[in-house]
Amino acid sequence: QVQLVDSGGGLVLTGGSLRLSCATSGRTFSIYTMAWFRQAPGKEREFVATISGSGATTYYADSVKGRFTISRDNAKNTMYLQMNSLKPEDTAVYYCAADLRSVATIQRMCTVASCDMNYWGQGTLVTVSS
Protein backbone atom coordinates (compact mmCIF):
# COMPACT_ATOMS: atom_id res chain seq x y z
CA GLN A 1 0.00 0.00 0.00
CA VAL A 2 1.29 3.45 -0.95
CA GLN A 3 0.03 6.62 0.68
CA LEU A 4 0.35 9.90 -1.19
CA VAL A 5 0.05 13.34 0.39
CA ASP A 6 -0.29 16.34 -1.90
CA SER A 7 0.62 19.83 -0.73
CA GLY A 8 1.63 23.26 -1.97
CA GLY A 9 -1.58 24.56 -3.46
CA GLY A 10 -2.85 28.07 -2.87
CA LEU A 11 -3.99 31.33 -4.40
CA VAL A 12 -1.72 33.02 -6.92
CA LEU A 13 -2.05 35.83 -9.44
CA THR A 14 -1.91 35.27 -13.17
CA GLY A 15 1.70 34.88 -14.22
CA GLY A 16 2.77 33.66 -10.82
CA SER A 17 4.36 30.39 -9.74
CA LEU A 18 3.67 27.56 -7.33
CA ARG A 19 5.42 24.31 -6.51
CA LEU A 20 3.35 21.31 -5.58
CA SER A 21 4.77 18.39 -3.63
CA CYS A 22 3.67 14.79 -3.31
CA ALA A 23 5.15 12.93 -0.38
CA THR A 24 4.88 9.16 -0.32
CA SER A 25 5.23 6.40 2.21
CA GLY A 26 7.14 3.19 1.73
CA ARG A 27 10.61 2.25 0.58
CA THR A 28 9.77 1.37 -3.02
CA PHE A 29 9.04 4.84 -4.37
CA SER A 30 11.44 4.51 -7.29
CA ILE A 31 9.56 1.60 -8.85
CA TYR A 32 6.46 3.71 -9.42
CA THR A 33 5.66 5.88 -12.37
CA MET A 34 4.31 9.09 -10.88
CA ALA A 35 1.92 11.59 -12.38
CA TRP A 36 -0.07 14.74 -11.78
CA PHE A 37 -3.70 15.18 -12.78
CA ARG A 38 -6.10 18.05 -12.23
CA GLN A 39 -9.82 18.57 -12.09
CA ALA A 40 -11.39 21.97 -12.63
CA PRO A 41 -14.88 22.77 -11.34
CA GLY A 42 -17.51 21.15 -13.54
CA LYS A 43 -14.93 19.36 -15.67
CA GLU A 44 -13.50 15.88 -15.88
CA ARG A 45 -10.15 15.03 -14.40
CA GLU A 46 -7.33 15.52 -16.89
CA PHE A 47 -3.73 14.41 -17.23
CA VAL A 48 -1.05 17.03 -16.54
CA ALA A 49 2.34 15.29 -16.49
CA THR A 50 4.07 12.02 -15.75
CA ILE A 51 7.58 10.94 -14.82
CA SER A 52 9.35 7.60 -14.90
CA GLY A 53 10.68 5.86 -11.81
CA SER A 54 14.22 7.03 -12.45
CA GLY A 55 13.11 10.53 -13.35
CA ALA A 56 14.77 10.30 -16.75
CA THR A 57 11.59 10.41 -18.84
CA THR A 58 8.78 12.92 -18.61
CA TYR A 59 5.66 13.71 -20.61
CA TYR A 60 3.35 16.71 -20.44
CA ALA A 61 -0.08 17.71 -21.57
CA ASP A 62 0.09 20.24 -24.38
CA SER A 63 -1.71 22.80 -22.23
CA VAL A 64 1.14 22.94 -19.69
CA LYS A 65 4.17 22.16 -21.83
CA GLY A 66 6.89 24.78 -21.39
CA ARG A 67 5.30 26.17 -18.22
CA PHE A 68 5.21 23.20 -15.82
CA THR A 69 8.07 20.91 -14.79
CA ILE A 70 7.60 17.54 -13.13
CA SER A 71 10.46 16.11 -11.09
CA ARG A 72 11.13 13.62 -8.31
CA ASP A 73 13.63 13.02 -5.55
CA ASN A 74 13.74 9.28 -4.90
CA ALA A 75 15.95 9.75 -1.83
CA LYS A 76 13.15 11.83 -0.27
CA ASN A 77 10.25 9.76 -1.67
CA THR A 78 8.81 12.97 -3.06
CA MET A 79 7.55 14.21 -6.42
CA TYR A 80 7.17 17.84 -7.43
CA LEU A 81 5.33 19.98 -9.95
CA GLN A 82 6.84 23.40 -10.58
CA MET A 83 4.19 25.59 -12.17
CA ASN A 84 5.23 28.86 -13.79
CA SER A 85 3.36 31.45 -15.84
CA LEU A 86 0.11 30.34 -14.29
CA LYS A 87 -3.16 31.18 -16.00
CA PRO A 88 -6.74 31.32 -14.68
CA GLU A 89 -7.50 28.18 -16.67
CA ASP A 90 -4.96 26.31 -14.53
CA THR A 91 -7.33 26.67 -11.57
CA ALA A 92 -8.17 23.15 -10.36
CA VAL A 93 -7.65 20.58 -7.68
CA TYR A 94 -4.34 18.89 -8.45
CA TYR A 95 -3.84 15.22 -7.62
CA CYS A 96 -0.67 13.21 -7.56
CA ALA A 97 -0.83 9.55 -8.47
CA ALA A 98 1.36 6.47 -8.58
CA ASP A 99 1.22 3.44 -10.83
CA LEU A 100 3.30 0.36 -11.61
CA ARG A 101 2.77 0.67 -15.37
CA SER A 102 5.48 2.25 -17.48
CA VAL A 103 5.62 6.00 -18.08
CA ALA A 104 5.02 5.39 -21.78
CA THR A 105 1.84 3.44 -21.01
CA ILE A 106 0.59 6.15 -18.66
CA GLN A 107 1.27 8.83 -21.25
CA ARG A 108 -0.39 6.84 -24.03
CA MET A 109 -3.49 5.99 -22.02
CA CYS A 110 -4.01 9.11 -19.94
CA THR A 111 -3.54 11.81 -22.56
CA VAL A 112 -6.39 10.55 -24.72
CA ALA A 113 -8.94 9.45 -22.14
CA SER A 114 -9.70 9.47 -18.47
CA CYS A 115 -7.58 6.83 -16.79
CA ASP A 116 -7.19 5.33 -13.38
CA MET A 117 -3.98 4.91 -11.42
CA ASN A 118 -3.04 2.48 -8.67
CA TYR A 119 -2.83 5.15 -5.93
CA TRP A 120 -4.05 8.74 -5.55
CA GLY A 121 -3.33 11.65 -3.27
CA GLN A 122 -6.11 13.62 -1.63
CA GLY A 123 -5.66 16.67 -3.86
CA THR A 124 -4.49 20.23 -3.35
CA LEU A 125 -6.37 23.28 -4.64
CA VAL A 126 -4.67 25.74 -6.96
CA THR A 127 -6.51 28.98 -7.67
CA VAL A 128 -5.15 31.44 -10.22
CA SER A 129 -6.74 34.85 -10.02
CA SER A 130 -6.74 37.44 -12.75
mmCIF file of all heavy atoms in Angstrom, residues 55-90:
data_model
loop_
_atom_site.group_PDB
_atom_site.id
_atom_site.type_symbol
_atom_site.label_atom_id
_atom_site.label_comp_id
_atom_site.label_asym_id
_atom_site.label_seq_id
_atom_site.Cartn_x
_atom_site.Cartn_y
_atom_site.Cartn_z
ATOM 1 N N GLY A 55 13.170 9.096 -13.109
ATOM 2 C CA GLY A 55 13.113 10.528 -13.354
ATOM 3 C C GLY A 55 13.662 10.942 -14.702
ATOM 4 O O GLY A 55 13.634 12.118 -15.052
ATOM 5 N N ALA A 56 14.111 9.974 -15.485
ATOM 6 C CA ALA A 56 14.774 10.302 -16.752
ATOM 7 C C ALA A 56 13.804 10.674 -17.867
ATOM 8 O O ALA A 56 14.169 11.365 -18.812
ATOM 9 C CB ALA A 56 15.626 9.119 -17.201
ATOM 10 N N THR A 57 12.562 10.190 -17.767
ATOM 11 C CA THR A 57 11.588 10.406 -18.837
ATOM 12 C C THR A 57 10.365 11.129 -18.288
ATOM 13 O O THR A 57 9.816 10.727 -17.249
ATOM 14 C CB THR A 57 11.157 9.078 -19.456
ATOM 15 O OG1 THR A 57 12.315 8.387 -19.931
ATOM 16 C CG2 THR A 57 10.188 9.301 -20.609
ATOM 17 N N THR A 58 9.965 12.164 -19.001
ATOM 18 C CA THR A 58 8.776 12.922 -18.615
ATOM 19 C C THR A 58 7.902 13.197 -19.839
ATOM 20 O O THR A 58 8.398 13.270 -20.969
ATOM 21 C CB THR A 58 9.154 14.271 -17.976
ATOM 22 O OG1 THR A 58 9.936 15.030 -18.911
ATOM 23 C CG2 THR A 58 9.954 14.078 -16.704
ATOM 24 N N TYR A 59 6.613 13.325 -19.582
ATOM 25 C CA TYR A 59 5.660 13.709 -20.610
ATOM 26 C C TYR A 59 4.717 14.756 -20.022
ATOM 27 O O TYR A 59 4.414 14.708 -18.836
ATOM 28 C CB TYR A 59 4.836 12.507 -21.087
ATOM 29 C CG TYR A 59 5.626 11.445 -21.794
ATOM 30 C CD1 TYR A 59 5.953 10.252 -21.149
ATOM 31 C CD2 TYR A 59 6.021 11.603 -23.118
ATOM 32 C CE1 TYR A 59 6.661 9.260 -21.792
ATOM 33 C CE2 TYR A 59 6.734 10.607 -23.765
ATOM 34 C CZ TYR A 59 7.055 9.436 -23.096
ATOM 35 O OH TYR A 59 7.751 8.454 -23.746
ATOM 36 N N TYR A 60 4.234 15.645 -20.887
ATOM 37 C CA TYR A 60 3.353 16.711 -20.441
ATOM 38 C C TYR A 60 2.138 16.832 -21.340
ATOM 39 O O TYR A 60 2.206 16.553 -22.540
ATOM 40 C CB TYR A 60 4.095 18.054 -20.456
ATOM 41 C CG TYR A 60 5.254 18.131 -19.499
ATOM 42 C CD1 TYR A 60 6.529 17.750 -19.892
ATOM 43 C CD2 TYR A 60 5.071 18.578 -18.194
ATOM 44 C CE1 TYR A 60 7.595 17.812 -19.015
ATOM 45 C CE2 TYR A 60 6.139 18.650 -17.305
ATOM 46 C CZ TYR A 60 7.400 18.258 -17.724
ATOM 47 O OH TYR A 60 8.452 18.323 -16.850
ATOM 48 N N ALA A 61 1.051 17.303 -20.762
ATOM 49 C CA ALA A 61 -0.084 17.711 -21.572
ATOM 50 C C ALA A 61 0.303 18.954 -22.355
ATOM 51 O O ALA A 61 1.085 19.782 -21.873
ATOM 52 C CB ALA A 61 -1.286 18.002 -20.672
ATOM 53 N N ASP A 62 -0.249 19.093 -23.540
ATOM 54 C CA ASP A 62 0.088 20.240 -24.385
ATOM 55 C C ASP A 62 -0.228 21.561 -23.685
ATOM 56 O O ASP A 62 0.475 22.553 -23.880
ATOM 57 C CB ASP A 62 -0.679 20.161 -25.711
ATOM 58 C CG ASP A 62 -0.143 19.070 -26.623
ATOM 59 O OD1 ASP A 62 0.999 18.597 -26.398
ATOM 60 O OD2 ASP A 62 -0.864 18.688 -27.559
ATOM 61 N N SER A 63 -1.263 21.568 -22.866
ATOM 62 C CA SER A 63 -1.709 22.800 -22.231
ATOM 63 C C SER A 63 -0.714 23.337 -21.194
ATOM 64 O O SER A 63 -0.791 24.509 -20.817
ATOM 65 C CB SER A 63 -3.064 22.575 -21.560
ATOM 66 O OG SER A 63 -2.978 21.540 -20.596
ATOM 67 N N VAL A 64 0.198 22.502 -20.721
ATOM 68 C CA VAL A 64 1.144 22.942 -19.689
ATOM 69 C C VAL A 64 2.596 22.872 -20.158
ATOM 70 O O VAL A 64 3.498 23.314 -19.434
ATOM 71 C CB VAL A 64 0.986 22.123 -18.389
ATOM 72 C CG1 VAL A 64 -0.455 22.140 -17.917
ATOM 73 C CG2 VAL A 64 1.481 20.699 -18.558
ATOM 74 N N LYS A 65 2.813 22.329 -21.337
ATOM 75 C CA LYS A 65 4.171 22.156 -21.828
ATOM 76 C C LYS A 65 4.889 23.505 -21.910
ATOM 77 O O LYS A 65 4.336 24.494 -22.396
ATOM 78 C CB LYS A 65 4.126 21.489 -23.202
ATOM 79 C CG LYS A 65 5.379 20.752 -23.612
ATOM 80 C CD LYS A 65 5.142 19.971 -24.894
ATOM 81 C CE LYS A 65 4.158 18.839 -24.695
ATOM 82 N NZ LYS A 65 3.977 18.029 -25.924
ATOM 83 N N GLY A 66 6.114 23.541 -21.385
ATOM 84 C CA GLY A 66 6.887 24.777 -21.388
ATOM 85 C C GLY A 66 6.645 25.658 -20.186
ATOM 86 O O GLY A 66 7.402 26.614 -19.944
ATOM 87 N N ARG A 67 5.593 25.374 -19.415
ATOM 88 C CA ARG A 67 5.299 26.169 -18.217
ATOM 89 C C ARG A 67 5.460 25.351 -16.937
ATOM 90 O O ARG A 67 5.840 25.899 -15.896
ATOM 91 C CB ARG A 67 3.864 26.705 -18.286
ATOM 92 C CG ARG A 67 3.603 27.608 -19.474
ATOM 93 C CD ARG A 67 2.208 28.253 -19.368
ATOM 94 N NE ARG A 67 1.131 27.267 -19.376
ATOM 95 C CZ ARG A 67 0.232 27.146 -18.394
ATOM 96 N NH1 ARG A 67 0.276 27.941 -17.342
ATOM 97 N NH2 ARG A 67 -0.734 26.235 -18.481
ATOM 98 N N PHE A 68 5.138 24.071 -16.996
ATOM 99 C CA PHE A 68 5.208 23.195 -15.823
ATOM 100 C C PHE A 68 6.388 22.242 -15.964
ATOM 101 O O PHE A 68 6.738 21.819 -17.067
ATOM 102 C CB PHE A 68 3.937 22.359 -15.684
ATOM 103 C CG PHE A 68 2.693 23.125 -15.326
ATOM 104 C CD1 PHE A 68 2.655 24.506 -15.301
ATOM 105 C CD2 PHE A 68 1.535 22.434 -14.983
ATOM 106 C CE1 PHE A 68 1.501 25.197 -14.960
ATOM 107 C CE2 PHE A 68 0.371 23.094 -14.637
ATOM 108 C CZ PHE A 68 0.360 24.484 -14.633
ATOM 109 N N THR A 69 6.981 21.887 -14.817
ATOM 110 C CA THR A 69 8.071 20.914 -14.792
ATOM 111 C C THR A 69 7.815 19.893 -13.696
ATOM 112 O O THR A 69 7.658 20.263 -12.528
ATOM 113 C CB THR A 69 9.422 21.591 -14.544
ATOM 114 O OG1 THR A 69 9.664 22.566 -15.554
ATOM 115 C CG2 THR A 69 10.544 20.564 -14.569
ATOM 116 N N ILE A 70 7.767 18.627 -14.092
ATOM 117 C CA ILE A 70 7.604 17.542 -13.130
ATOM 118 C C ILE A 70 8.984 16.992 -12.779
ATOM 119 O O ILE A 70 9.868 16.894 -13.642
ATOM 120 C CB ILE A 70 6.687 16.430 -13.693
ATOM 121 C CG1 ILE A 70 6.335 15.405 -12.617
ATOM 122 C CG2 ILE A 70 7.295 15.769 -14.918
ATOM 123 C CD1 ILE A 70 5.270 14.391 -13.066
ATOM 124 N N SER A 71 9.178 16.667 -11.523
ATOM 125 C CA SER A 71 10.459 16.107 -11.087
ATOM 126 C C SER A 71 10.219 15.219 -9.870
ATOM 127 O O SER A 71 9.122 15.214 -9.297
ATOM 128 C CB SER A 71 11.452 17.220 -10.750
ATOM 129 O OG SER A 71 10.993 18.004 -9.670
ATOM 130 N N ARG A 72 11.252 14.480 -9.486
ATOM 131 C CA ARG A 72 11.131 13.623 -8.308
ATOM 132 C C ARG A 72 12.480 13.499 -7.633
ATOM 133 O O ARG A 72 13.532 13.601 -8.281
ATOM 134 C CB ARG A 72 10.598 12.245 -8.689
ATOM 135 C CG ARG A 72 11.485 11.438 -9.604
ATOM 136 C CD ARG A 72 10.756 10.211 -10.163
ATOM 137 N NE ARG A 72 10.374 9.272 -9.122
ATOM 138 C CZ ARG A 72 9.458 8.316 -9.272
ATOM 139 N NH1 ARG A 72 8.823 8.203 -10.428
ATOM 140 N NH2 ARG A 72 9.180 7.484 -8.289
ATOM 141 N N ASP A 73 12.439 13.272 -6.334
ATOM 142 C CA ASP A 73 13.634 13.023 -5.549
ATOM 143 C C ASP A 73 13.424 11.674 -4.864
ATOM 144 O O ASP A 73 12.717 11.585 -3.848
ATOM 145 C CB ASP A 73 13.849 14.134 -4.521
ATOM 146 C CG ASP A 73 15.145 13.989 -3.732
ATOM 147 O OD1 ASP A 73 15.668 12.859 -3.644
ATOM 148 O OD2 ASP A 73 15.626 14.995 -3.205
ATOM 149 N N ASN A 74 13.993 10.632 -5.430
ATOM 150 C CA ASN A 74 13.744 9.284 -4.895
ATOM 151 C C ASN A 74 14.343 9.095 -3.505
ATOM 152 O O ASN A 74 13.858 8.265 -2.736
ATOM 153 C CB ASN A 74 14.280 8.230 -5.856
ATOM 154 C CG ASN A 74 13.407 8.108 -7.106
ATOM 155 O OD1 ASN A 74 12.273 8.600 -7.129
ATOM 156 N ND2 ASN A 74 13.930 7.470 -8.136
ATOM 157 N N ALA A 75 15.362 9.850 -3.167
ATOM 158 C CA ALA A 75 15.947 9.754 -1.827
ATOM 159 C C ALA A 75 14.993 10.304 -0.771
ATOM 160 O O ALA A 75 15.039 9.888 0.391
ATOM 161 C CB ALA A 75 17.271 10.498 -1.773
ATOM 162 N N LYS A 76 14.115 11.219 -1.191
ATOM 163 C CA LYS A 76 13.151 11.830 -0.266
ATOM 164 C C LYS A 76 11.744 11.288 -0.465
ATOM 165 O O LYS A 76 10.805 11.764 0.180
ATOM 166 C CB LYS A 76 13.148 13.350 -0.438
ATOM 167 C CG LYS A 76 14.459 14.020 -0.071
ATOM 168 C CD LYS A 76 14.359 15.527 -0.218
ATOM 169 C CE LYS A 76 15.668 16.195 0.209
ATOM 170 N NZ LYS A 76 15.603 17.680 0.057
ATOM 171 N N ASN A 77 11.582 10.330 -1.388
ATOM 172 C CA ASN A 77 10.247 9.764 -1.673
ATOM 173 C C ASN A 77 9.234 10.859 -1.993
ATOM 174 O O ASN A 77 8.087 10.813 -1.545
ATOM 175 C CB ASN A 77 9.747 8.942 -0.482
ATOM 176 C CG ASN A 77 10.499 7.633 -0.302
ATOM 177 O OD1 ASN A 77 11.315 7.267 -1.140
ATOM 178 N ND2 ASN A 77 10.237 6.944 0.782
ATOM 179 N N THR A 78 9.657 11.819 -2.783
ATOM 180 C CA THR A 78 8.812 12.972 -3.060
ATOM 181 C C THR A 78 8.843 13.333 -4.538
ATOM 182 O O THR A 78 9.895 13.260 -5.183
ATOM 183 C CB THR A 78 9.249 14.184 -2.223
ATOM 184 O OG1 THR A 78 9.213 13.832 -0.831
ATOM 185 C CG2 THR A 78 8.325 15.368 -2.451
ATOM 186 N N MET A 79 7.691 13.730 -5.049
ATOM 187 C CA MET A 79 7.555 14.214 -6.416
ATOM 188 C C MET A 79 7.124 15.678 -6.355
ATOM 189 O O MET A 79 6.471 16.099 -5.394
ATOM 190 C CB MET A 79 6.507 13.401 -7.173
ATOM 191 C CG MET A 79 6.218 13.918 -8.561
ATOM 192 S SD MET A 79 4.964 12.980 -9.440
ATOM 193 C CE MET A 79 3.507 13.272 -8.463
ATOM 194 N N TYR A 80 7.473 16.414 -7.395
ATOM 195 C CA TYR A 80 7.167 17.839 -7.426
ATOM 196 C C TYR A 80 6.522 18.228 -8.756
ATOM 197 O O TYR A 80 6.696 17.560 -9.770
ATOM 198 C CB TYR A 80 8.452 18.663 -7.256
ATOM 199 C CG TYR A 80 9.227 18.314 -6.020
ATOM 200 C CD1 TYR A 80 10.317 17.449 -6.077
ATOM 201 C CD2 TYR A 80 8.881 18.852 -4.779
ATOM 202 C CE1 TYR A 80 11.031 17.114 -4.940
ATOM 203 C CE2 TYR A 80 9.598 18.519 -3.635
ATOM 204 C CZ TYR A 80 10.669 17.650 -3.727
ATOM 205 O OH TYR A 80 11.372 17.322 -2.597
ATOM 206 N N LEU A 81 5.810 19.340 -8.730
ATOM 207 C CA LEU A 81 5.329 19.976 -9.953
ATOM 208 C C LEU A 81 5.577 21.470 -9.813
ATOM 209 O O LEU A 81 4.896 22.141 -9.043
ATOM 210 C CB LEU A 81 3.846 19.706 -10.199
ATOM 211 C CG LEU A 81 3.311 20.242 -11.527
ATOM 212 C CD1 LEU A 81 3.920 19.454 -12.697
ATOM 213 C CD2 LEU A 81 1.784 20.167 -11.582
ATOM 214 N N GLN A 82 6.563 21.963 -10.548
ATOM 215 C CA GLN A 82 6.841 23.396 -10.581
ATOM 216 C C GLN A 82 5.960 24.013 -11.652
ATOM 217 O O GLN A 82 6.038 23.622 -12.824
ATOM 218 C CB GLN A 82 8.312 23.647 -10.891
ATOM 219 C CG GLN A 82 8.674 25.121 -10.992
ATOM 220 C CD GLN A 82 8.535 25.847 -9.668
ATOM 221 O OE1 GLN A 82 8.949 25.347 -8.638
ATOM 222 N NE2 GLN A 82 7.965 27.051 -9.718
ATOM 223 N N MET A 83 5.131 24.958 -11.251
ATOM 224 C CA MET A 83 4.186 25.586 -12.170
ATOM 225 C C MET A 83 4.527 27.054 -12.302
ATOM 226 O O MET A 83 4.472 27.805 -11.317
ATOM 227 C CB MET A 83 2.761 25.409 -11.647
ATOM 228 C CG MET A 83 2.379 23.957 -11.386
ATOM 229 S SD MET A 83 0.645 23.774 -10.930
ATOM 230 C CE MET A 83 0.618 24.613 -9.363
ATOM 231 N N ASN A 84 4.885 27.457 -13.502
ATOM 232 C CA ASN A 84 5.231 28.855 -13.785
ATOM 233 C C ASN A 84 4.237 29.438 -14.784
ATOM 234 O O ASN A 84 3.504 28.711 -15.453
ATOM 235 C CB ASN A 84 6.644 28.945 -14.350
ATOM 236 C CG ASN A 84 7.700 28.448 -13.388
ATOM 237 O OD1 ASN A 84 7.572 28.573 -12.173
ATOM 238 N ND2 ASN A 84 8.763 27.879 -13.935
ATOM 239 N N SER A 85 4.233 30.743 -14.894
ATOM 240 C CA SER A 85 3.359 31.452 -15.842
ATOM 241 C C SER A 85 1.921 30.951 -15.729
ATOM 242 O O SER A 85 1.270 30.641 -16.738
ATOM 243 C CB SER A 85 3.864 31.269 -17.272
ATOM 244 O OG SER A 85 5.191 31.730 -17.397
ATOM 245 N N LEU A 86 1.437 30.890 -14.522
ATOM 246 C CA LEU A 86 0.105 30.336 -14.289
ATOM 247 C C LEU A 86 -0.985 31.202 -14.887
ATOM 248 O O LEU A 86 -0.874 32.442 -14.934
ATOM 249 C CB LEU A 86 -0.128 30.155 -12.790
ATOM 250 C CG LEU A 86 0.575 28.921 -12.200
ATOM 251 C CD1 LEU A 86 0.690 29.027 -10.689
ATOM 252 C CD2 LEU A 86 -0.171 27.654 -12.593
ATOM 253 N N LYS A 87 -2.030 30.532 -15.359
ATOM 254 C CA LYS A 87 -3.162 31.183 -16.000
ATOM 255 C C LYS A 87 -4.431 30.834 -15.225
ATOM 256 O O LYS A 87 -4.492 29.801 -14.552
ATOM 257 C CB LYS A 87 -3.310 30.673 -17.438
ATOM 258 C CG LYS A 87 -2.062 30.805 -18.295
ATOM 259 C CD LYS A 87 -2.277 30.151 -19.649
ATOM 260 C CE LYS A 87 -1.030 30.228 -20.505
ATOM 261 N NZ LYS A 87 -1.229 29.581 -21.830
ATOM 262 N N PRO A 88 -5.478 31.658 -15.361
ATOM 263 C CA PRO A 88 -6.743 31.325 -14.677
ATOM 264 C C PRO A 88 -7.264 29.943 -15.036
ATOM 265 O O PRO A 88 -7.853 29.259 -14.192
ATOM 266 C CB PRO A 88 -7.685 32.437 -15.152
ATOM 267 C CG PRO A 88 -6.783 33.589 -15.405
ATOM 268 C CD PRO A 88 -5.524 32.991 -15.966
ATOM 269 N N GLU A 89 -7.029 29.504 -16.261
ATOM 270 C CA GLU A 89 -7.502 28.178 -16.674
ATOM 271 C C GLU A 89 -6.726 27.032 -16.032
ATOM 272 O O GLU A 89 -7.082 25.867 -16.202
ATOM 273 C CB GLU A 89 -7.481 28.033 -18.199
ATOM 274 C CG GLU A 89 -6.170 28.397 -18.846
ATOM 275 C CD GLU A 89 -6.149 29.826 -19.376
ATOM 276 O OE1 GLU A 89 -6.620 30.744 -18.641
ATOM 277 O OE2 GLU A 89 -5.656 30.026 -20.503
ATOM 278 N N ASP A 90 -5.670 27.340 -15.290
ATOM 279 C CA ASP A 90 -4.964 26.313 -14.527
ATOM 280 C C ASP A 90 -5.630 26.054 -13.170
ATOM 281 O O ASP A 90 -5.221 25.134 -12.452
ATOM 282 C CB ASP A 90 -3.510 26.726 -14.288
ATOM 283 C CG ASP A 90 -2.694 26.802 -15.558
ATOM 284 O OD1 ASP A 90 -2.839 25.906 -16.415
ATOM 285 O OD2 ASP A 90 -1.912 27.766 -15.700
#
